[in-house]
Amino acid sequence: MRKAWRSMPRTDVLAVIEIVSPSNPSNDYGEKLTEYPAMGIAHYLIVDPRTGTVEVHSDPCKGRYARKDPYIFGDSVPFGLWTVETADFRRYGKTEDGGG
């Protein structure tokens, strides 16, 4: 994890949003998915432009998130105190007209 995160008190972090990298998706779905609940971060949202999906993880308990809610691009995604509108999210390699 970045050094800046280590210096921030975890009680100051309300939520984390990650956009999955095409070159290192296991970082968001593996390492961070175990680190964030262990730090007590209540809400973790993963946006995956490779698949057009969104995952909301919440309710940290015993070093993992007890709840996982899946969505697709275009959904209104409840995320803690917020709602994330994903209608304009784009998949990697996709253009407005659907081409590559």
Side-chain angles (χ1 to χ4, degrees):
M1 294 182 63
R2 293 183 186 99
K3 189 173 184 175
W5 283 107
R6 291 186 187 134
S7 64
M8 178 181 288
R10 62 181 175 214
T11 55
D12 289 350
V13 179
L14 300 176
V16 173
I17 297 173
E18 297 281 359
I19 300 173
V20 174
S21 164
S23 63
N24 192 10
S26 63
N27 193 35
D28 298 310
Y29 288 107
E31 180 180 337
K32 293 175 184 178
L33 193 53
T34 58
E35 288 180 351
Y36 293 155
M39 294 186 320
I41 296 172
H43 305 282
Y44 177 37
L45 185 137
I46 303 173
V47 177
D48 195 335
R50 300 169 313 142
T51 60
T53 59
V54 176
E55 290 183 2
V56 175
H57 296 268
S58 58
D59 302 330
C61 179
K62 298 180 182 176
R64 60 181 285 281
Y65 286 110
R67 183 174 176 144
K68 173 183 153 185
D69 296 303
Y71 299 91
I72 60 171
F73 285 11
D75 289 343
S76 293
V77 178
F79 181 58
L81 302 172
W82 311 275
T83 299
V84 178
E85 299 297 339
T86 67
D88 292 329
F89 286 16
R90 298 288 173 247
R91 293 183 64 177
Y92 290 136
K94 302 288 182 184
T95 61
E96 290 280 330
D97 62 7

